[in-house]
mmCIF file of all heavy atoms in Angstrom:
data_model
loop_
_atom_site.group_PDB
_atom_site.id
_atom_site.type_symbol
_atom_site.label_atom_id
_atom_site.label_comp_id
_atom_site.label_asym_id
_atom_site.label_seq_id
_atom_site.Cartn_x
_atom_site.Cartn_y
_atom_site.Cartn_z
ATOM 1 N N MET A 1 0.791 -1.204 -0.024
ATOM 2 C CA MET A 1 -0.021 -0.007 -0.002
ATOM 3 C C MET A 1 0.852 1.239 0.020
ATOM 4 O O MET A 1 0.601 2.193 -0.745
ATOM 5 C CB MET A 1 -0.944 -0.008 1.192
ATOM 6 C CG MET A 1 -2.016 -0.969 1.171
ATOM 7 S SD MET A 1 -2.997 -0.879 2.679
ATOM 8 C CE MET A 1 -4.228 -2.134 2.397
ATOM 9 N N LEU A 2 1.930 1.249 0.781
ATOM 10 C CA LEU A 2 2.844 2.364 0.839
ATOM 11 C C LEU A 2 3.489 2.585 -0.511
ATOM 12 O O LEU A 2 3.575 3.719 -0.968
ATOM 13 C CB LEU A 2 3.910 2.204 1.877
ATOM 14 C CG LEU A 2 5.026 3.279 1.986
ATOM 15 C CD1 LEU A 2 4.419 4.620 2.231
ATOM 16 C CD2 LEU A 2 6.088 2.864 3.014
ATOM 17 N N ILE A 3 3.941 1.532 -1.159
ATOM 18 C CA ILE A 3 4.572 1.689 -2.444
ATOM 19 C C ILE A 3 3.547 2.199 -3.465
ATOM 20 O O ILE A 3 3.922 3.041 -4.323
ATOM 21 C CB ILE A 3 5.202 0.324 -2.881
ATOM 22 C CG1 ILE A 3 6.377 0.017 -1.945
ATOM 23 C CG2 ILE A 3 5.627 0.353 -4.360
ATOM 24 C CD1 ILE A 3 6.922 -1.425 -2.154
ATOM 25 N N LEU A 4 2.359 1.740 -3.367
ATOM 26 C CA LEU A 4 1.285 2.307 -4.258
ATOM 27 C C LEU A 4 1.092 3.794 -4.037
ATOM 28 O O LEU A 4 1.006 4.578 -5.043
ATOM 29 C CB LEU A 4 -0.023 1.575 -4.014
ATOM 30 C CG LEU A 4 -1.206 2.049 -4.844
ATOM 31 C CD1 LEU A 4 -0.950 1.874 -6.321
ATOM 32 C CD2 LEU A 4 -2.472 1.294 -4.446
ATOM 33 N N LEU A 5 1.142 4.234 -2.776
ATOM 34 C CA LEU A 5 0.990 5.652 -2.539
ATOM 35 C C LEU A 5 2.223 6.441 -3.045
ATOM 36 O O LEU A 5 2.054 7.558 -3.563
ATOM 37 C CB LEU A 5 0.833 5.896 -0.989
ATOM 38 C CG LEU A 5 -0.508 5.637 -0.393
ATOM 39 C CD1 LEU A 5 -0.533 5.893 1.129
ATOM 40 C CD2 LEU A 5 -1.576 6.492 -1.081
ATOM 41 N N LEU A 6 3.414 5.865 -2.921
ATOM 42 C CA LEU A 6 4.625 6.554 -3.462
ATOM 43 C C LEU A 6 4.543 6.627 -4.963
ATOM 44 O O LEU A 6 4.905 7.668 -5.522
ATOM 45 C CB LEU A 6 5.845 5.826 -2.989
ATOM 46 C CG LEU A 6 6.163 5.877 -1.485
ATOM 47 C CD1 LEU A 6 7.317 5.030 -1.058
ATOM 48 C CD2 LEU A 6 6.365 7.343 -1.041
ATOM 49 N N ALA A 7 4.075 5.576 -5.625
ATOM 50 C CA ALA A 7 3.911 5.624 -7.092
ATOM 51 C C ALA A 7 2.879 6.717 -7.446
ATOM 52 O O ALA A 7 3.070 7.449 -8.373
ATOM 53 C CB ALA A 7 3.454 4.247 -7.574
ATOM 54 N N TRP A 8 1.773 6.777 -6.707
ATOM 55 C CA TRP A 8 0.760 7.804 -6.945
ATOM 56 C C TRP A 8 1.345 9.205 -6.760
ATOM 57 O O TRP A 8 1.086 10.093 -7.528
ATOM 58 C CB TRP A 8 -0.431 7.530 -5.988
ATOM 59 C CG TRP A 8 -1.562 8.446 -6.040
ATOM 60 C CD1 TRP A 8 -2.119 9.173 -5.017
ATOM 61 C CD2 TRP A 8 -2.369 8.776 -7.181
ATOM 62 N NE1 TRP A 8 -3.152 9.901 -5.431
ATOM 63 C CE2 TRP A 8 -3.390 9.663 -6.757
ATOM 64 C CE3 TRP A 8 -2.372 8.394 -8.580
ATOM 65 C CZ2 TRP A 8 -4.348 10.180 -7.623
ATOM 66 C CZ3 TRP A 8 -3.331 8.936 -9.390
ATOM 67 C CH2 TRP A 8 -4.287 9.811 -8.964
ATOM 68 N N ALA A 9 2.114 9.341 -5.713
ATOM 69 C CA ALA A 9 2.781 10.643 -5.447
ATOM 70 C C ALA A 9 3.663 11.076 -6.604
ATOM 71 O O ALA A 9 3.691 12.205 -6.990
ATOM 72 C CB ALA A 9 3.550 10.612 -4.137
ATOM 73 N N LEU A 10 4.473 10.100 -7.073
ATOM 74 C CA LEU A 10 5.336 10.382 -8.253
ATOM 75 C C LEU A 10 4.490 10.726 -9.443
ATOM 76 O O LEU A 10 4.819 11.617 -10.219
ATOM 77 C CB LEU A 10 6.242 9.165 -8.534
ATOM 78 C CG LEU A 10 7.498 9.089 -7.773
ATOM 79 C CD1 LEU A 10 8.172 7.715 -8.035
ATOM 80 C CD2 LEU A 10 8.447 10.212 -8.088
ATOM 81 N N HIS A 11 3.452 9.989 -9.690
ATOM 82 C CA HIS A 11 2.535 10.301 -10.881
ATOM 83 C C HIS A 11 2.004 11.692 -10.721
ATOM 84 O O HIS A 11 1.975 12.427 -11.763
ATOM 85 C CB HIS A 11 1.416 9.248 -10.876
ATOM 86 C CG HIS A 11 0.374 9.537 -11.919
ATOM 87 N ND1 HIS A 11 0.645 9.313 -13.260
ATOM 88 C CD2 HIS A 11 -0.854 10.049 -11.794
ATOM 89 C CE1 HIS A 11 -0.443 9.703 -13.907
ATOM 90 N NE2 HIS A 11 -1.325 10.158 -13.099
ATOM 91 N N LEU A 12 1.599 12.081 -9.534
ATOM 92 C CA LEU A 12 1.000 13.399 -9.371
ATOM 93 C C LEU A 12 2.035 14.532 -9.454
ATOM 94 O O LEU A 12 1.739 15.678 -9.832
ATOM 95 C CB LEU A 12 0.251 13.475 -8.041
ATOM 96 C CG LEU A 12 -1.003 12.660 -7.917
ATOM 97 C CD1 LEU A 12 -1.514 12.620 -6.509
ATOM 98 C CD2 LEU A 12 -2.051 13.119 -8.880
ATOM 99 N N GLY A 13 3.266 14.158 -9.080
ATOM 100 C CA GLY A 13 4.410 15.106 -9.209
ATOM 101 C C GLY A 13 4.403 16.243 -8.252
ATOM 102 O O GLY A 13 4.904 17.346 -8.576
ATOM 103 N N ASN A 14 3.929 16.031 -7.035
ATOM 104 C CA ASN A 14 3.969 17.098 -5.985
ATOM 105 C C ASN A 14 4.840 16.561 -4.851
ATOM 106 O O ASN A 14 4.456 15.573 -4.225
ATOM 107 C CB ASN A 14 2.600 17.502 -5.530
ATOM 108 C CG ASN A 14 2.686 18.732 -4.619
ATOM 109 O OD1 ASN A 14 3.299 18.720 -3.628
ATOM 110 N ND2 ASN A 14 2.060 19.793 -5.078
ATOM 111 N N ALA A 15 5.926 17.157 -4.573
ATOM 112 C CA ALA A 15 6.864 16.753 -3.539
ATOM 113 C C ALA A 15 6.241 16.656 -2.137
ATOM 114 O O ALA A 15 6.606 15.844 -1.353
ATOM 115 C CB ALA A 15 8.058 17.719 -3.450
ATOM 116 N N PHE A 16 5.229 17.475 -1.881
ATOM 117 C CA PHE A 16 4.634 17.440 -0.516
ATOM 118 C C PHE A 16 3.788 16.220 -0.265
ATOM 119 O O PHE A 16 3.424 15.883 0.853
ATOM 120 C CB PHE A 16 3.744 18.712 -0.361
ATOM 121 C CG PHE A 16 4.593 19.987 -0.197
ATOM 122 C CD1 PHE A 16 4.699 20.769 -1.299
ATOM 123 C CD2 PHE A 16 5.307 20.219 0.948
ATOM 124 C CE1 PHE A 16 5.523 21.937 -1.215
ATOM 125 C CE2 PHE A 16 6.131 21.345 1.051
ATOM 126 C CZ PHE A 16 6.203 22.211 -0.043
ATOM 127 N N ASN A 17 3.486 15.473 -1.340
ATOM 128 C CA ASN A 17 2.795 14.201 -1.143
ATOM 129 C C ASN A 17 3.574 13.177 -0.394
ATOM 130 O O ASN A 17 3.042 12.238 0.223
ATOM 131 C CB ASN A 17 2.355 13.631 -2.465
ATOM 132 C CG ASN A 17 1.063 14.232 -2.919
ATOM 133 O OD1 ASN A 17 0.212 14.616 -2.111
ATOM 134 N ND2 ASN A 17 0.809 14.295 -4.211
ATOM 135 N N VAL A 18 4.924 13.340 -0.345
ATOM 136 C CA VAL A 18 5.757 12.454 0.417
ATOM 137 C C VAL A 18 5.358 12.582 1.915
ATOM 138 O O VAL A 18 5.389 11.629 2.698
ATOM 139 C CB VAL A 18 7.255 12.727 0.208
ATOM 140 C CG1 VAL A 18 8.106 11.957 1.162
ATOM 141 C CG2 VAL A 18 7.584 12.448 -1.225
ATOM 142 N N LEU A 19 4.993 13.769 2.328
ATOM 143 C CA LEU A 19 4.560 14.000 3.734
ATOM 144 C C LEU A 19 3.248 13.173 4.001
ATOM 145 O O LEU A 19 3.128 12.661 5.136
ATOM 146 C CB LEU A 19 4.314 15.478 3.999
ATOM 147 C CG LEU A 19 5.533 16.412 3.875
ATOM 148 C CD1 LEU A 19 5.163 17.851 4.018
ATOM 149 C CD2 LEU A 19 6.637 15.983 4.923
ATOM 150 N N LEU A 20 2.385 13.155 3.060
ATOM 151 C CA LEU A 20 1.167 12.341 3.241
ATOM 152 C C LEU A 20 1.520 10.845 3.289
ATOM 153 O O LEU A 20 0.918 10.098 4.033
ATOM 154 C CB LEU A 20 0.144 12.639 2.192
ATOM 155 C CG LEU A 20 -0.555 13.995 2.281
ATOM 156 C CD1 LEU A 20 -1.453 14.269 1.123
ATOM 157 C CD2 LEU A 20 -1.335 14.065 3.589
ATOM 158 N N ALA A 21 2.466 10.379 2.447
ATOM 159 C CA ALA A 21 2.896 9.000 2.573
ATOM 160 C C ALA A 21 3.493 8.690 3.925
ATOM 161 O O ALA A 21 3.211 7.632 4.503
ATOM 162 C CB ALA A 21 3.932 8.730 1.426
ATOM 163 N N ALA A 22 4.270 9.636 4.447
ATOM 164 C CA ALA A 22 4.779 9.469 5.821
ATOM 165 C C ALA A 22 3.620 9.413 6.797
ATOM 166 O O ALA A 22 3.663 8.678 7.792
ATOM 167 C CB ALA A 22 5.785 10.547 6.157
ATOM 168 N N GLY A 23 2.640 10.218 6.608
ATOM 169 C CA GLY A 23 1.427 10.215 7.489
ATOM 170 C C GLY A 23 0.730 8.904 7.402
ATOM 171 O O GLY A 23 0.226 8.384 8.442
ATOM 172 N N PHE A 24 0.667 8.267 6.250
ATOM 173 C CA PHE A 24 0.079 6.985 6.098
ATOM 174 C C PHE A 24 0.814 5.940 6.972
ATOM 175 O O PHE A 24 0.215 5.143 7.646
ATOM 176 C CB PHE A 24 0.040 6.513 4.630
ATOM 177 C CG PHE A 24 -0.341 5.140 4.361
ATOM 178 C CD1 PHE A 24 -1.692 4.761 4.417
ATOM 179 C CD2 PHE A 24 0.550 4.115 4.187
ATOM 180 C CE1 PHE A 24 -2.064 3.495 4.177
ATOM 181 C CE2 PHE A 24 0.195 2.793 3.947
ATOM 182 C CZ PHE A 24 -1.183 2.517 3.975
ATOM 183 N N VAL A 25 2.172 5.961 6.905
ATOM 184 C CA VAL A 25 2.985 5.110 7.655
ATOM 185 C C VAL A 25 2.728 5.260 9.184
ATOM 186 O O VAL A 25 2.505 4.279 9.914
ATOM 187 C CB VAL A 25 4.516 5.199 7.325
ATOM 188 C CG1 VAL A 25 5.336 4.442 8.377
ATOM 189 C CG2 VAL A 25 4.812 4.783 5.956
ATOM 190 N N SER A 26 2.668 6.511 9.560
ATOM 191 C CA SER A 26 2.431 6.836 10.947
ATOM 192 C C SER A 26 1.033 6.349 11.441
ATOM 193 O O SER A 26 0.903 5.710 12.461
ATOM 194 C CB SER A 26 2.575 8.361 11.211
ATOM 195 O OG SER A 26 2.325 8.664 12.517
ATOM 196 N N TYR A 27 0.011 6.635 10.607
ATOM 197 C CA TYR A 27 -1.317 6.242 10.892
ATOM 198 C C TYR A 27 -1.415 4.661 11.011
ATOM 199 O O TYR A 27 -1.986 4.119 11.997
ATOM 200 C CB TYR A 27 -2.313 6.668 9.878
ATOM 201 C CG TYR A 27 -3.735 6.247 10.150
ATOM 202 C CD1 TYR A 27 -4.556 7.057 10.886
ATOM 203 C CD2 TYR A 27 -4.198 5.005 9.723
ATOM 204 C CE1 TYR A 27 -5.883 6.626 11.197
ATOM 205 C CE2 TYR A 27 -5.458 4.602 9.986
ATOM 206 C CZ TYR A 27 -6.328 5.376 10.728
ATOM 207 O OH TYR A 27 -7.588 4.953 11.051
ATOM 208 N N MET A 28 -0.843 3.959 10.059
ATOM 209 C CA MET A 28 -0.902 2.477 10.025
ATOM 210 C C MET A 28 -0.125 1.949 11.224
ATOM 211 O O MET A 28 -0.628 0.965 11.877
ATOM 212 C CB MET A 28 -0.338 2.011 8.732
ATOM 213 C CG MET A 28 -1.170 2.252 7.498
ATOM 214 S SD MET A 28 -2.892 1.669 7.646
ATOM 215 C CE MET A 28 -2.569 -0.073 7.451
ATOM 216 N N ASN A 29 0.980 2.524 11.576
ATOM 217 C CA ASN A 29 1.725 2.048 12.796
ATOM 218 C C ASN A 29 0.856 2.147 14.023
ATOM 219 O O ASN A 29 0.717 1.208 14.787
ATOM 220 C CB ASN A 29 3.043 2.798 12.976
ATOM 221 C CG ASN A 29 4.105 2.304 12.041
ATOM 222 O OD1 ASN A 29 4.146 1.203 11.621
ATOM 223 N ND2 ASN A 29 5.059 3.142 11.822
ATOM 224 N N VAL A 30 0.246 3.301 14.285
ATOM 225 C CA VAL A 30 -0.483 3.547 15.509
ATOM 226 C C VAL A 30 -1.799 2.875 15.546
ATOM 227 O O VAL A 30 -2.099 2.214 16.564
ATOM 228 C CB VAL A 30 -0.634 5.087 15.709
ATOM 229 C CG1 VAL A 30 -1.588 5.354 16.870
ATOM 230 C CG2 VAL A 30 0.725 5.747 15.905
ATOM 231 N N TYR A 31 -2.591 2.930 14.448
ATOM 232 C CA TYR A 31 -3.955 2.450 14.541
ATOM 233 C C TYR A 31 -4.176 1.043 13.976
ATOM 234 O O TYR A 31 -5.254 0.523 14.178
ATOM 235 C CB TYR A 31 -4.874 3.469 13.875
ATOM 236 C CG TYR A 31 -4.939 4.777 14.563
ATOM 237 C CD1 TYR A 31 -4.225 5.925 14.063
ATOM 238 C CD2 TYR A 31 -5.603 4.900 15.778
ATOM 239 C CE1 TYR A 31 -4.215 7.114 14.727
ATOM 240 C CE2 TYR A 31 -5.543 6.147 16.470
ATOM 241 C CZ TYR A 31 -4.862 7.218 15.964
ATOM 242 O OH TYR A 31 -4.898 8.400 16.593
ATOM 243 N N GLN A 32 -3.232 0.567 13.271
ATOM 244 C CA GLN A 32 -3.404 -0.812 12.666
ATOM 245 C C GLN A 32 -2.292 -1.769 13.190
ATOM 246 O O GLN A 32 -2.663 -2.830 13.772
ATOM 247 C CB GLN A 32 -3.361 -0.743 11.171
ATOM 248 C CG GLN A 32 -3.593 -2.040 10.434
ATOM 249 C CD GLN A 32 -4.997 -2.617 10.679
ATOM 250 O OE1 GLN A 32 -5.974 -1.831 10.655
ATOM 251 N NE2 GLN A 32 -5.153 -3.875 10.933
ATOM 252 N N ILE A 33 -1.048 -1.485 12.927
ATOM 253 C CA ILE A 33 0.033 -2.414 13.148
ATOM 254 C C ILE A 33 0.221 -2.716 14.642
ATOM 255 O O ILE A 33 0.334 -3.829 15.070
ATOM 256 C CB ILE A 33 1.274 -1.977 12.472
ATOM 257 C CG1 ILE A 33 1.028 -1.955 10.946
ATOM 258 C CG2 ILE A 33 2.428 -2.863 12.849
ATOM 259 C CD1 ILE A 33 2.154 -1.441 10.096
ATOM 260 N N ILE A 34 0.342 -1.658 15.441
ATOM 261 C CA ILE A 34 0.604 -1.862 16.899
ATOM 262 C C ILE A 34 -0.490 -2.697 17.539
ATOM 263 O O ILE A 34 -0.278 -3.644 18.257
ATOM 264 C CB ILE A 34 0.917 -0.527 17.576
ATOM 265 C CG1 ILE A 34 2.270 -0.035 17.088
ATOM 266 C CG2 ILE A 34 0.891 -0.690 19.077
ATOM 267 C CD1 ILE A 34 2.683 1.359 17.589
ATOM 268 N N PRO A 35 -1.854 -2.304 17.289
ATOM 269 C CA PRO A 35 -2.862 -3.176 17.855
ATOM 270 C C PRO A 35 -2.758 -4.625 17.324
ATOM 271 O O PRO A 35 -3.028 -5.570 18.073
ATOM 272 C CB PRO A 35 -4.146 -2.470 17.424
ATOM 273 C CG PRO A 35 -3.747 -1.069 17.222
ATOM 274 C CD PRO A 35 -2.377 -1.098 16.661
ATOM 275 N N GLU A 36 -2.481 -4.795 16.007
ATOM 276 C CA GLU A 36 -2.354 -6.126 15.465
ATOM 277 C C GLU A 36 -1.232 -6.911 16.183
ATOM 278 O O GLU A 36 -1.395 -8.028 16.536
ATOM 279 C CB GLU A 36 -2.012 -6.098 14.009
ATOM 280 C CG GLU A 36 -3.136 -6.030 13.048
ATOM 281 C CD GLU A 36 -2.632 -6.008 11.579
ATOM 282 O OE1 GLU A 36 -1.452 -6.204 11.304
ATOM 283 O OE2 GLU A 36 -3.555 -5.790 10.734
ATOM 284 N N GLU A 37 -0.134 -6.212 16.368
ATOM 285 C CA GLU A 37 1.050 -6.829 17.000
ATOM 286 C C GLU A 37 0.747 -7.251 18.450
ATOM 287 O O GLU A 37 1.181 -8.303 18.859
ATOM 288 C CB GLU A 37 2.286 -5.944 16.942
ATOM 289 C CG GLU A 37 2.855 -5.809 15.518
ATOM 290 C CD GLU A 37 4.049 -4.889 15.447
ATOM 291 O OE1 GLU A 37 4.244 -4.115 16.362
ATOM 292 O OE2 GLU A 37 4.772 -4.953 14.443
ATOM 293 N N LYS A 38 0.033 -6.419 19.194
ATOM 294 C CA LYS A 38 -0.358 -6.791 20.516
ATOM 295 C C LYS A 38 -1.199 -8.053 20.538
ATOM 296 O O LYS A 38 -0.943 -8.961 21.342
ATOM 297 C CB LYS A 38 -1.057 -5.607 21.217
ATOM 298 C CG LYS A 38 -1.416 -5.909 22.678
ATOM 299 C CD LYS A 38 -2.199 -4.779 23.271
ATOM 300 C CE LYS A 38 -2.566 -5.045 24.743
ATOM 301 N NZ LYS A 38 -2.815 -6.416 25.162
ATOM 302 N N THR A 39 -2.196 -8.098 19.655
ATOM 303 C CA THR A 39 -3.025 -9.256 19.551
ATOM 304 C C THR A 39 -2.257 -10.536 19.206
ATOM 305 O O THR A 39 -2.459 -11.591 19.791
ATOM 306 C CB THR A 39 -4.147 -9.036 18.509
ATOM 307 O OG1 THR A 39 -4.918 -7.838 18.920
ATOM 308 C CG2 THR A 39 -5.134 -10.222 18.395
ATOM 309 N N LEU A 40 -1.384 -10.365 18.230
ATOM 310 C CA LEU A 40 -0.588 -11.550 17.798
ATOM 311 C C LEU A 40 0.404 -11.986 18.895
ATOM 312 O O LEU A 40 0.644 -13.211 19.048
ATOM 313 C CB LEU A 40 0.195 -11.222 16.507
ATOM 314 C CG LEU A 40 -0.759 -11.031 15.279
ATOM 315 C CD1 LEU A 40 0.053 -10.551 14.104
ATOM 316 C CD2 LEU A 40 -1.583 -12.349 14.993
ATOM 317 N N ALA A 41 0.985 -11.024 19.622
ATOM 318 C CA ALA A 41 1.908 -11.394 20.725
ATOM 319 C C ALA A 41 1.127 -12.119 21.783
ATOM 320 O O ALA A 41 1.645 -13.057 22.394
ATOM 321 C CB ALA A 41 2.527 -10.146 21.266
ATOM 322 N N ASP A 42 -0.148 -11.665 22.065
ATOM 323 C CA ASP A 42 -0.883 -12.361 23.074
ATOM 324 C C ASP A 42 -1.242 -13.783 22.642
ATOM 325 O O ASP A 42 -1.282 -14.715 23.423
ATOM 326 C CB ASP A 42 -2.199 -11.632 23.369
ATOM 327 C CG ASP A 42 -1.998 -10.277 24.107
ATOM 328 O OD1 ASP A 42 -0.921 -10.051 24.675
ATOM 329 O OD2 ASP A 42 -2.888 -9.483 24.084
ATOM 330 N N LYS A 43 -1.442 -13.942 21.362
ATOM 331 C CA LYS A 43 -1.904 -15.193 20.817
ATOM 332 C C LYS A 43 -0.760 -16.154 20.623
ATOM 333 O O LYS A 43 -0.899 -17.351 20.967
ATOM 334 C CB LYS A 43 -2.680 -15.000 19.527
ATOM 335 C CG LYS A 43 -3.275 -16.279 18.934
ATOM 336 C CD LYS A 43 -4.386 -16.011 18.027
ATOM 337 C CE LYS A 43 -5.048 -17.294 17.736
ATOM 338 N NZ LYS A 43 -6.436 -17.220 17.555
ATOM 339 N N PHE A 44 0.352 -15.680 20.078
ATOM 340 C CA PHE A 44 1.491 -16.594 19.715
ATOM 341 C C PHE A 44 2.668 -16.489 20.676
ATOM 342 O O PHE A 44 3.643 -17.254 20.486
ATOM 343 C CB PHE A 44 1.922 -16.321 18.284
ATOM 344 C CG PHE A 44 0.851 -16.663 17.246
ATOM 345 C CD1 PHE A 44 0.124 -15.651 16.631
ATOM 346 C CD2 PHE A 44 0.527 -17.929 16.983
ATOM 347 C CE1 PHE A 44 -0.806 -15.926 15.719
ATOM 348 C CE2 PHE A 44 -0.471 -18.264 16.025
ATOM 349 C CZ PHE A 44 -1.105 -17.234 15.360
ATOM 350 N N GLY A 45 2.613 -15.545 21.630
ATOM 351 C CA GLY A 45 3.618 -15.484 22.658
ATOM 352 C C GLY A 45 5.112 -15.341 22.184
ATOM 353 O O GLY A 45 5.379 -14.458 21.353
ATOM 354 N N LYS A 46 5.900 -16.181 22.701
ATOM 355 C CA LYS A 46 7.369 -16.090 22.509
ATOM 356 C C LYS A 46 7.731 -16.218 21.016
ATOM 357 O O LYS A 46 8.595 -15.488 20.525
ATOM 358 C CB LYS A 46 8.078 -17.191 23.278
ATOM 359 C CG LYS A 46 9.627 -17.130 23.221
ATOM 360 C CD LYS A 46 10.211 -18.236 24.047
ATOM 361 C CE LYS A 46 11.705 -18.244 23.845
ATOM 362 N NZ LYS A 46 12.353 -19.332 24.584
#
């Protein structure tokens, strides 16, 4: 998904879109990946 956003940013040709791609990473880390990781750590442990 991130690579798709970076390709889209390049296609659009606006340098500030890189900031939105970084925002995507930040959002995904906080609201998707970290909760997923907590659930998986609880389930699969060590």
Side-chain angles (χ1 to χ4, degrees):
M1 290 179 179
L2 173 60
I3 293 170
L4 179 60
L5 284 178
L6 293 173
W8 179 235
L10 275 173
H11 173 76
L12 294 171
N14 189 299
F16 291 101
N17 276 330
V18 173
L19 297 174
L20 287 174
F24 173 79
V25 170
S26 180
Y27 179 91
M28 292 302 288
N29 279 336
V30 171
Y31 296 104
Q32 182 67 42
I33 295 172
I34 291 173
E36 272 182 10
E37 288 179 344
K38 182 182 179 331
T39 301
L40 294 174
D42 290 346
K43 185 157 190 145
F44 296 106
K46 184 179 177 183

